[in-house]
Amino acid sequence: MATSQGGNSHRNGTHSHRTSLKPHVKSKPAQRRNSTGKDHAAVPGRVRVAVRLRPRNAEESVADADFADCVELQPELKRLKLRKNNWDADTYEFDEVLTEFSSQKRVYEVVARPVVESVLDGYNGTIMAYGQTGTGKTYTLGRLGEEDNAARGIMVRAMEDILADISLETDSVSVSYLQLYMETIQDLLDPANDNIAIVEDPKTGDVSLPGASLVDIRDQQSFVELLRLGEAHRFAANTKLNTESSRSHAILMVHVKRSVKGRDGALSSENGNHQHMVKSIKPSLVRKGKLVVVDLAGSERIDKSGSEGHTLEEAKSINLSLSALGKCINALAENSAHVPFRDSKLTRLLRDSFGGTARTSLVITIGPSPRHRGETSSTIMFGQRAMKVENMVKLKEEFDYKSLSRRLDIELDKLIVEHERQQKAFEDEVERLATEAQQRISDAERNYVDLMEKERSKYQKDYMESIKKLEEQLVMNQRKNEELHMKSSGEIPRVSLEELADLKKMLQKETHLRKAAEGELNNIKSQVAELKKSEASGKSEILKLHNMLEDKEHQTKKLEGEIAILQSHLLQLRLEADETRRHFDRGGFEKETGGPNSLTAQVKQQQQQQQASGNGEKPSIAKLFEQVGLQKILSLLEAEDADVRIHAVKVVANLAAEETNQGKIVEAGGLTSLLNLLKSSQDETIHRVAAGAIANLAMNEANQELIMVQGGISLLSMTAANAEDPQTLRMVAGAIANLCGNDKLQTKLRSEGGIKALLGMVRCRHPDVHAQVARGIANFAKCESRASSQGNLWTKSGRSFLIEDGALPWIVQNANNEASSVRRHIELALCHLAQHEINARDMISGGALWELVRISRDCSREDIKTLAHRTLLSSPTFQAEMRRLRVN
């Protein structure tokens, strides 16, 4: 809802305070999965809209140097003011307001991270950028950040979070990258695929692109390479408004499939209990989320962009598709019975994102130039209408029957392979035993024949030798007998009888040896018989192995029967899944409502409605007074519950932003309560919001004196010394800067440490903090210059308090700061300090003279440039030094 306001809410040309950043807490899904794994009812989820302001570019800095920005941001109130003229402006509220200093990480945290977390939890999500050409849509979404890691866009950061949260063993991520160019859908990963058809499910109405390339992602580097490849194929052109203007709508689709149930260990057959295995098979649950990131081509006016020829035709196609999208948003915002989704391929693709089942975040990008106020206003109104669109976010969870089927097929293949392996091993073992038995029999027979041959040869040789010896002995004995007979005939000698006895003994010995050989031969025959028995036992063992083989074949047939049972169970599970899915499609949901019935609940509810309703039916301040009352709200600032105090101080801060409420807050003791919170609370959030409220109250001169009387400057200095959060420091610096603009409070403010507190806060490198410090120094220097011109000197020496407290080195150091908000205030402070002649020597020794010379020559603001030139000419000390240095 826009409201017209005259004038600005801050003094001395300061920027609006930006809202504080809460620590990120992982968002919860709309409805958690229950233990039964059934589908869930859809829940409402409004489209969230954030606005991001692009800083002035080089061309705008020159062309619009004499004009103020057409927009003013109030991020702490989540508001944006669009100036109609110098005294009137329209105010709009969004879910998030991002200044030109907002980092890419900050943009991702508030715009994209909740959607990415919903996708990881099983919901569809959409992140879309909309705005005039050249306002930073592609920078916000698609920047790769290869040269500067901090410049990474939403696409790269989203994939980092997805890959960090999933398990590559059980989950999967796949990506499609497309562009909608001249009403044709083209594949950026496969340029030859340049006319992809849109397919709609006639039952559910879901839109799919079966012809698009789908690439599995395993690591971040491969995803960045895909983005680089897609960007190289995207159409772009050089126009007057943008040197690299996108001429097509880019659409990145990320499909995330996650398993939410552990692997079923029942498929293991190590225990052999197959019947138990069949009974315990259950399909796992999977969640399928789809993230769609849409980088819309920028809207443009032909007379401003200078498009002609083919570029003109491209611009017409872009404007037609964006116009069709705007009509759909209008119809949804007004709850129209007919929404013209089929007017354009862009709206058909985004059917689930607006009014569908996806969780959607929209970031609208605008520029500061007053020349493009019409386009900026159109973009803001598009975002306002989009905030009224309600989606019915639905969890995408189902039984993974395909995975179960694959697992059963794998297990079946394993069983078949294991059976074949066991059967092959059994056959190999039988063959090995048979070969081994045959080899043993052959070896035994061969050994038997060899042994028999050796024994026969041995005994035959011994027998022949014994016969030969006996024959020789007989011949010798006959010769002796013949000789003896010739010597003495008729007398038989004794010697021949003894020799005969020896012969008998030898014959007996030979007979004994022959019997021993026969006994040995019998032993060999018994060994052969034993070998034959072992052969018979081997044959019986082979017979047993054959029997075992028959048993294995029987077990194989049994396994095949159990496999058939598994397949029938799988078929039954698939039938049950189809029936369950049809049952879920007919289901509905119930919504319970309730309301708070206490003062604390009322304040919390008002705060939550204010954050959630945006520019819709937001309760007014007057209605809040009627329902709760200011005194009761202020009483909650002292509540014991920290959460209650935080909600209460936020309500007071919102009230203090309206000038009409400031007097009521001070009269009711709200200022005292806020200062007490700075003193007693240790909560950083309370300090930040309370300091912001005090800064708003400090815009009123009467309130400034009350703040000083109640020790406000000391409390703000103490808060600044203990704070680390840049947003808290910015709020405190803004409050002190407002106090520095009061001529009556200069001496007291300096004596209580106000200047030193400002200088202490420059330890924070944040440009917003430096801008507020510079504003405070400029206000203080201006008051000193005014007092000096009236003859009122606050110090005995007449020197500036700022110089005495050591502010001059920091002023000189930041006189040419890159941030225009810091540089403008520092240039004013130097000019005001130089107007008092007694400060000239200190400024010369501190290097400020050179900065004054630079300002008088190069300053972009003509009024400051003239002031610096006049100050240099009017100071004798500066003139003498410039003559000495030969500076013209």
Side-chain angles (χ1 to χ4, degrees), residues 175-178 187-191 213-215 226-227 229-230 233:
V175 167
S176 296
Y177 200 14
L178 315 165
D187 196 335
L188 289 174
L189 304 181
D190 182 11
S213 301
L214 195 62
V215 181
L226 284 179
L227 290 184
L229 174 64
H233 295 145

Side-chain angles (χ1 to χ4, degrees), residues 622-692:
K623 186 175 180 181
L624 184 62
F625 282 159
E626 294 174 3
Q627 292 181 350
V628 179
L630 181 59
Q631 287 292 348
K632 292 183 179 179
I633 294 174
L634 294 178
S635 67
L636 293 179
L637 295 177
E638 301 176 359
E640 296 181 358
D641 188 347
D643 189 42
V644 174
R645 289 201 303 272
I646 291 174
H647 282 290
V649 75
K650 287 182 178 180
V651 172
V652 174
N654 286 332
L655 293 173
E658 301 292 339
E659 187 176 354
T660 56
N661 298 327
Q662 293 177 359
K664 299 177 183 179
I665 293 173
V666 174
E667 291 176 2
L671 176 59
T672 303
S673 300
L674 291 171
L675 292 173
N676 287 336
L677 283 177
L678 292 182
K679 182 178 180 181
S680 60
S681 176
Q682 302 297 323
D683 189 277
E684 184 82 5
T685 302
I686 291 179
H687 284 176
R688 179 168 59 252
V689 181

Side-chain angles (χ1 to χ4, degrees), residues 90-151:
D90 290 333
T91 300
Y92 303 93
E93 296 188 2
F94 291 91
D95 295 304
E96 293 292 340
V97 175
L98 303 167
T99 70
E100 65 270 32
F101 305 112
S102 296
S103 66
Q104 292 282 75
K105 180 179 180 182
R106 161 72 173 154
V107 175
Y108 174 76
E109 292 289 337
V110 301
V111 174
R113 183 184 287 273
V115 178
V116 173
E117 290 175 349
S118 295
V119 172
L120 288 170
D121 285 327
Y123 298 85
N124 287 346
T126 301
I127 303 167
M128 189 172 74
Y130 177 95
Q132 183 190 10
T133 180
T135 53
K137 298 182 296 300
T138 303
Y139 177 86
T140 300
L141 295 181
R143 189 66 177 264
L144 300 182
E146 295 173 308
E147 299 176 355
D148 183 5
N149 193 52

Side-chain angles (χ1 to χ4, degrees), residues 70-71 82-84 92 130-133 135 241 299-301 303-304 365-382 385:
C70 68
V71 293
L82 179 63
R83 291 191 177 95
K84 296 180 179 180
Y92 303 93
Y130 177 95
Q132 183 190 10
T133 180
T135 53
L241 296 179
S299 61
E300 60 184 63
R301 291 186 178 178
D303 57 342
K304 291 186 178 182
T365 57
I366 59 176
S369 174
R371 292 178 297 157
H372 305 306
R373 185 189 180 282
E375 290 84 348
T376 301
S377 175
S378 177
T379 301
I380 292 172
M381 294 311 299
F382 179 91
R385 289 190 293 268

Side-chain angles (χ1 to χ4, degrees), residues 574-637:
R574 286 173 175 167
L575 293 174
E576 291 176 357
D578 293 337
E579 183 178 355
T580 303
R581 190 176 292 109
R582 289 194 297 270
H583 173 70
F584 290 161
D585 291 338
R586 294 193 300 267
F589 70 93
E590 297 179 356
K591 180 168 67 176
E592 296 180 1
T593 58
N597 55 5
S598 66
L599 175 59
T600 302
Q602 278 184 282
V603 174
K604 288 184 177 180
Q605 184 184 29
Q606 294 290 345
Q607 184 71 13
Q608 292 167 358
Q609 290 177 352
Q610 185 177 3
Q611 294 175 353
S613 61
N615 288 335
E617 297 299 327
K618 177 182 173 182
S620 65
I621 297 299
K623 186 175 180 181
L624 184 62
F625 282 159
E626 294 174 3
Q627 292 181 350
V628 179
L630 181 59
Q631 287 292 348
K632 292 183 179 179
I633 294 174
L634 294 178
S635 67
L636 293 179
L637 295 177

Side-chain angles (χ1 to χ4, degrees), residues 453-468:
E453 183 65 26
K454 287 180 181 178
E455 290 295 328
R456 188 184 67 77
S457 300
K458 177 183 177 184
Y459 286 116
Q460 187 175 5
K461 183 179 180 182
D462 291 343
Y463 177 73
M464 294 302 293
E465 288 178 354
S466 299
I467 294 299
K468 187 176 181 181

